[in-house]
Amino acid sequence: MQLATTQPEKNVQEVREYDLFLDVDFVGLRYGGKVTIDLESVGDVSLDAVGLQINNVKSGSRAVPFKHSGKVLEIQTGKFSGPLEIEFKGRVSDNFTGFYKASYGDGYILSTHLEAVQARKVIPCVDHPAFKAMFKVKVRTDQNLSVISNMPIESETKEGSKRTVAFKKTPKMSTYLLYLGVGKFVQEKGRHGGTDLYAAYADRPTGKINTEFSFDASRKVLDFYESYFGIPFQLPKLHNVAVPEFAYGAMENWGAITYREILLHVDKDTSVRAKKSVAHVIAHEIAHMWFGDLVTMKWWDDLWLNESFATFMDFKSTNQAYPEWKVWQDFVRTSTSGAMGRDALTKTHPIMAKVHDPEEIEELFDEISYGKGASILRMIEAYIGPENFKNGVRQYLQKFRYSNASGHDLWSNLQEASGTEVSRIMEGWISQEGFPVVKASLAGTRLVFEQERFLLTGGTSKQTWPIPVTMIVDGKTQSLLLDKRKAEVNLPATTRSLKVNVDQTGFYVVQYDGKALQDLVWKGRLSSLDRWGLVNDAKAFLLSGRIPFKEYLDLIEKYDREEEYLPAIEVSDQLSFLYQIAPSKLVEISRNFHSAGLSIFENKRDDNSTTLKGIIAARLTLLDDGYAKLAGSKFKDLANVEPDMKRSVVMGYARSSNDYGGLIGRYMNSTTDEERLRFLEGLVSFKNPELITKTLNFALSGKVKRQDVRNVILYATSNPDARTAIWQWFKKNIAKLEEMYSGTAQFSIILREYLSIVGVGRAAEVEKFFSEHKVIGADIALERLRIYDQLAKKIDASI
Ligand SMILES: [Zn+2]
């Protein structure tokens, strides 16, 4: 498939190599460039070139006439084979895309972010993932700056106040994976087998990034992938680059991965919660070195293949590297559950979505591409077995390395390796949107399954999915492929316990019909994952109106004094969410659960309990003034509070003191991003809405990293006292937010994740506002808002 707006690839058959020279004016924020592109074309060559000034195009010493529309560079070559030389000029971008300025305090570095279609903003190129080529990069800039790219440095020359750095040629790769970083970097070096490992971060007086843990995590996951994939890491070196400002979490540029600073830094003050995300993101990005970089999707409609696979492999490798975290528990509650929450809306899309124009690609970086795709892979792995799955993946990578592939290629390899029907099942899941609810009921000794589409709006549709249904009956696991509307299995007459969707490997929810069957479910020994599944499904049924609020509360009561991490954190999440949409009705239930939870987890020392205790305590400051005061009293001794508990101390202090000035002072003196975020969270946890507005305005004052403005809104959304303040502020600043995050999916995330909650109780007003302000993502936010608003009304009526 091709881009509808520009079709540069229409005549170009192949691009062999880009020989690129950039002369970077670091202070003036612009650059001059010359690129020699060795290509093959059946007619006039057209290239992607957005916002660049094209000076001349030559073939050998001959000038070639060209036209540049501002987006596409048409070169009148006729049928052509060989090198074309283009001289051009570009500007450093001020938002988060292309070759952009990433600021910190008084300084900045320059860094690229080229996924999905931003390479064309930096150099003229065929900006299409299937046009893989080799890149030879040379950069001239100020003597005192370093330059980082995908490959190791081949040579360096100095001349006056300038330095020219030439890099070794890359293997064949897609344009979106090219990387260039220019600035004052601290670079630390390590090694892993034959690979040089580097950590790089902006050099400045305060705010050193402590990279020891990131090296350790990188080595561990490299080990895992090299053995799992059976292919060694492909490049001579690998950089982990911390970028001071970054719209996304991280980016898998081949050999030069970029991260937010918070995702490479771990020291003694780092919470377990933050440390876990460091490990996960490193594992995700390094998985892309094989899946995405070595083998790349043919076109963006298979973006999910990159992202879901990296997400799935992240959990696999992290599970091996840090077994004590039992990370599959976090997988279901983040990836699976997050994707279901999105996919249960009428406004969703199939995993494999049609992509027509570049703007649409950004919107695909969502819960469906990452979480649903990864959950489907987990479901298929459980169905065909982990060994077969691994063998299929290995075959696939071997076959398509340095090249491109599609989802179908992966299925056929999994099918071949397992001798099981994989392609038909996968097609059923990736080509249609939504997911099923499996309704289970008893008919004598038969267990009857019936499937239909699950929608939060309460409706349904006649779709069916090929569902590998698993069940555990009296401790024994069995499975069937439910690919029609209805199927049934015989149960032994003596059946004492059963549960469907064992360990929650399936991407469906299960509704058990009738008390007799429900009793059987609760009689068995349920794993943490299964206990999680029951309460996860209950929330879905509550939101969709399939069960009344009273029935939901009865179920929640079963988790009253929950001692296990996964079900406890899930119930905490759910009660906090319900408290956000119906604060006055939920405050008591939620407070009781969290108070009890704090005393249960207080003395547990494992990492997951430590994380959970921190989360529970932070939530309790919003629910219980007495606790807020108690927690806040430790503020003067914050340095000695254990890292995961610091959030609750800062939030408790904010709620009990209203000390805006004091918290701002602490924020300004912070040296790490985790600390800064912690104070920002405190600064929107006040009870006084005027102080919230002050903080929200402060977030746009230039003193908060632009990437973190989204976090400020997220934190404020958890505080019911902040609701009106956020909405008023959002209406005033919508244009600024949209501009700040343009070219990324961040703005629509604000809408669908936070505005849908902030709008509860004022749904009509929000709908009217968005009918006047047409923005991408508003439709999803509004659908969610209507569902939440309905539920809030029902809760109101029932308590
Ligand atoms: Zn990714």
Side-chain angles (χ1 to χ4, degrees):
M1 194 197 287
Q2 298 179 326
L3 293 178
T5 49
T6 65
Q7 295 191 328
E9 60 275 16
K10 66 184 175 203
N11 286 336
V12 177
Q13 299 292 294
E14 187 194 358
V15 182
R16 287 179 285 262
E17 187 174 326
Y18 294 88
D19 192 336
L20 174 66
F21 171 71
L22 290 185
D23 190 353
V24 177
D25 177 356
F26 187 80
V27 177
L29 297 173
R30 56 186 172 226
Y31 58 93
K34 190 165 96 177
V35 63
T36 305
I37 311 178
D38 183 13
L39 53 74
E40 192 79 41
S41 167
V42 295
D44 284 354
V45 168
S46 42
L47 298 173
D48 294 299
V50 173
L52 298 170
Q53 179 192 320
I54 307 297
N55 295 342
N56 61 62
V57 181
K58 283 196 284 191
S59 163
S61 56
R62 184 176 61 89
V64 187
F66 66 89
K67 260 197 329 228
H68 185 219
S69 68
K71 281 187 171 174
V72 178
L73 173 61
E74 310 256 9
I75 308 170
Q76 289 157 31
T77 52
K79 185 174 176 337
F80 186 84
S81 175
L84 269 181
E85 192 184 292
I86 303 161
E87 280 190 14
F88 62 99
K89 280 188 176 143
R91 293 195 155 274
V92 169
S93 137
D94 204 31
N95 62 23
F96 293 107
T97 58
F99 190 31
Y100 75 95
K101 176 181 164 191
S103 305
Y104 56 87
D106 301 331
Y108 59 86
I109 61 159
L110 308 181
S111 183
T112 53
H113 180 84
L114 305 186
E115 193 178 17
V117 286
Q118 322 285 359
R120 62 189 66 183
K121 294 183 180 165
V122 184
I123 53 167
C125 58
V126 179
D127 199 6
H128 186 304
F131 283 76
K132 285 194 171 186
M134 294 179 285
F135 288 80
K136 218 169 166 329
V137 177
K138 199 190 311 178
V139 176
R140 183 170 182 266
T141 190
D142 298 344
Q143 174 89 253
N144 61 337
L145 304 176
S146 351
V147 187
I148 298 170
S149 187
N150 306 77
M151 292 294 283
I153 293 173
E154 185 174 68
S155 69
E156 257 188 288
T157 52
K158 290 175 187 174
E159 158 197 1
S161 62
K162 295 287 180 182
R163 159 207 304 260
T164 303
V165 185
F167 296 90
K168 289 189 173 147
K169 200 191 279 184
T170 69
K172 277 176 79 177
M173 66 175 202
S174 305
T175 44
Y176 78 93
L177 295 169
L178 182 67
Y179 181 70
L180 199 59
V182 179
K184 284 186 190 158
F185 286 104
V186 176
Q187 299 204 53
E188 293 166 0
K189 193 173 172 185
R191 214 168 156 77
H192 175 268
T195 310
D196 285 327
L197 292 182
Y198 294 89
Y201 52 92
D203 187 8
R204 53 187 195 265
T206 55
K208 180 185 180 302
I209 307 292
N210 194 331
T211 59
E212 204 181 309
F213 179 79
S214 73
F215 272 109
D216 182 57
S218 300
R219 285 193 191 98
K220 282 180 168 156
V221 298
L222 279 167
D223 272 339
F224 177 83
Y225 293 138
E226 290 189 332
S227 111
Y228 188 92
F229 296 134
I231 300 175
F233 180 70
Q234 315 81 22
L235 303 185
K237 67 94 180 167
L238 173 61
H239 261 89
N240 284 331
V241 184
V243 180
E245 278 193 304
F246 197 7
Y248 294 93
M251 172 66 208
E252 68 267 24
N253 317 297
W254 209 2
I257 305 171
T258 45
Y259 300 83
R260 286 190 179 190
E261 292 185 326
I262 195 171
L263 292 169
L264 284 184
H265 174 83
V266 172
D267 66 14
K268 64 172 184 20
D269 289 324
T270 304
S271 61
V272 175
R273 184 163 164 249
K275 189 171 157 184
K276 279 173 87 170
S277 55
V278 172
H280 277 297
V281 174
I282 288 175
H284 177 106
E285 300 308 324
I286 293 185
H288 274 312
M289 299 295 107
W290 283 263
F291 224 99
D293 296 5
L294 181 64
V295 179
T296 311
M297 73 248 141
K298 281 188 179 136
W299 175 242
W300 295 105
D301 50 9
D302 263 327
L303 168 75
W304 73 276
L305 200 60
N306 270 8
E307 293 311 339
S308 56
F309 206 86
T311 303
F312 180 66
M313 288 312 296
D314 149 17
F315 282 86
K316 240 182 194 320
S317 63
T318 311
N319 191 44
Q320 164 140 331
Y322 304 96
E324 67 279 17
W325 292 344
K326 302 188 179 107
V327 295
W328 289 108
Q329 301 192 9
D330 292 318
F331 179 87
V332 293
R333 78 178 189 87
T334 54
S335 295
T336 305
S337 170
M340 283 182 166
R342 172 78 169 79
D343 207 25
L345 298 174
T346 58
K347 295 211 168 42
T348 181
H349 62 84
I351 292 179
M352 182 150 173
K354 293 260 176 285
V355 178
H356 302 288
D357 92 54
E359 294 253 304
E360 291 175 8
I361 299 171
E362 289 308 318
E363 297 301 316
L364 286 182
F365 288 86
D366 67 0
E367 303 92 328
I368 304 292
S369 293
Y370 287 71
K372 184 179 180 184
S375 303
I376 303 304
L377 291 174
R378 180 168 175 253
M379 179 162 76
I380 276 292
E381 189 201 35
Y383 184 63
I384 68 176
E387 257 329 283
N388 288 335
F389 186 85
K390 180 167 87 179
N391 292 335
V393 170
R394 283 177 164 213
Q395 269 179 35
Y396 166 87
L397 288 175
Q398 280 293 349
K399 236 180 255 178
F400 296 99
R401 57 189 178 158
Y402 302 110
S403 163
N404 298 75
S406 69
H408 307 277
D409 298 319
L410 180 59
W411 320 148
S412 54
N413 280 283
L414 292 175
Q415 180 150 323
E416 213 180 291
S418 64
T420 314
E421 187 185 35
V422 173
S423 296
R424 185 175 68 92
I425 298 177
M426 286 308 286
E427 296 300 334
W429 285 92
I430 65 165
S431 61
Q432 56 178 340
E433 59 184 32
F435 65 94
V437 49
V438 172
K439 296 195 285 184
S441 56
L442 281 176
T445 58
R446 284 169 302 131
L447 182 60
V448 182
F449 293 118
E450 201 175 336
Q451 62 162 310
E452 62 186 30
R453 180 170 179 186
F454 178 75
L455 284 166
L456 287 176
T457 49
T460 186
S461 76
K462 286 200 155 55
Q463 288 165 268
T464 57
W465 286 260
I467 315 173
V469 172
T470 52
M471 72 204 103
I472 184 160
V473 180
D474 292 337
K476 272 195 222 106
T477 302
Q478 50 182 287
S479 61
L480 84 155
L481 188 66
L482 174 61
D483 54 0
K484 299 187 182 64
R485 182 157 307 283
K486 234 170 157 174
E488 52 184 54
V489 288
N490 282 314
L491 294 173
T494 54
T495 300
R496 289 179 311 275
S497 71
L498 72 84
K499 157 133 193 331
V500 183
N501 196 2
V502 184
D503 281 341
Q504 302 299 125
T505 55
F507 197 76
Y508 54 92
V509 289
V510 184
Q511 195 169 11
Y512 299 96
D513 187 30
K515 186 161 181 325
L517 183 56
Q518 285 164 11
D519 285 347
L520 286 179
V521 172
W522 287 98
K523 270 189 197 136
R525 262 180 61 89
L526 296 165
S527 69
S528 274
L529 285 162
D530 285 327
R531 287 170 62 72
W532 173 83
L534 293 167
V535 70
N536 174 68
D537 293 5
K539 180 189 170 191
F541 299 144
L542 171 69
L543 278 165
S544 64
R546 281 175 187 255
I547 60 170
F549 187 58
K550 170 82 179 61
E551 192 178 328
Y552 169 82
L553 284 184
D554 290 345
L555 183 120
I556 287 284
E557 248 175 48
K558 294 185 195 286
Y559 298 81
D560 230 3
R561 298 199 52 83
E562 181 59 52
E563 298 212 3
E564 284 180 65
Y565 164 76
L566 179 62
I569 197 168
E570 177 63 31
V571 174
S572 166
D573 285 350
Q574 291 192 14
L575 290 177
S576 300
F577 160 73
L578 292 172
Y579 173 62
Q580 284 171 24
I581 66 162
S584 62
K585 303 292 177 179
L586 258 296
V587 64
E588 201 182 319
I589 299 166
S590 188
R591 185 169 56 217
N592 292 344
F593 177 83
H594 286 93
S595 299
L598 196 59
S599 60
I600 291 166
F601 286 93
E602 202 143 42
N603 298 314
K604 300 193 180 195
R605 288 280 165 256
D606 63 287
D607 276 0
N608 283 348
S609 298
T610 302
T611 314
L612 179 55
K613 190 171 62 175
I615 291 170
I616 288 177
R619 286 176 172 162
L620 205 50
T621 63
L622 295 168
L623 296 160
D624 183 337
D625 288 346
Y627 181 75
K629 204 165 170 205
L630 179 73
S633 68
K634 297 177 194 136
F635 187 72
K636 49 187 181 307
D637 195 26
L638 186 63
N640 294 317
V641 173
E642 65 170 297
D644 282 85
M645 295 301 281
K646 285 182 203 270
R647 273 178 77 205
S648 61
V649 172
V650 173
M651 290 167 71
Y653 178 72
R655 288 189 76 75
S656 54
S657 73
N658 282 329
D659 180 11
Y660 179 84
L663 283 168
I664 286 280
R666 295 294 294 266
Y667 168 82
M668 295 301 288
N669 287 326
S670 299
T671 56
T672 67
D673 277 356
E674 189 179 14
E675 230 185 326
R676 280 185 204 102
L677 289 173
R678 200 178 279 143
F679 289 118
L680 287 173
E681 186 168 25
L683 282 159
V684 289
S685 299
F686 295 117
K687 291 185 137 187
N688 178 350
E690 280 168 33
L691 295 179
I692 309 280
T693 306
K694 228 169 142 177
T695 303
L696 290 167
N697 289 333
F698 175 76
L700 293 179
S701 69
K703 295 195 174 71
V704 173
K705 289 186 179 190
R706 289 168 296 172
Q707 67 186 31
D708 293 332
V709 173
R710 199 193 110 186
N711 290 59
V712 177
I713 306 171
L714 158 74
Y715 301 146
T717 304
S718 303
N719 176 5
D721 301 318
R723 193 66 50 79
T724 304
I726 307 172
W727 174 237
Q728 301 299 348
W729 174 84
F730 176 82
K731 279 194 294 184
K732 231 183 256 167
N733 292 290
I734 180 170
K736 257 187 219 167
L737 291 167
E738 225 189 335
E739 161 66 23
M740 188 165 74
Y741 289 133
S742 75
T744 77
Q746 303 300 303
F747 180 72
S748 48
I749 293 176
I750 293 175
L751 299 182
R752 59 178 197 255
E753 300 297 319
Y754 318 140
L755 257 287
S756 52
I757 291 174
V758 168
V760 172
R762 54 170 69 83
E765 190 193 339
V766 176
E767 298 226 21
K768 182 164 176 288
F769 179 81
F770 283 113
S771 69
E772 290 153 10
H773 294 78
K774 298 278 180 225
V775 287
I776 293 179
D779 51 347
I780 299 167
L782 289 175
E783 182 176 350
R784 271 212 172 124
L785 169 58
R786 278 175 225 123
I787 292 163
Y788 295 168
D789 203 59
Q790 280 285 321
L791 177 61
K793 284 185 184 129
K794 272 189 224 159
I795 293 175
D796 241 11
S798 74
I799 300 188

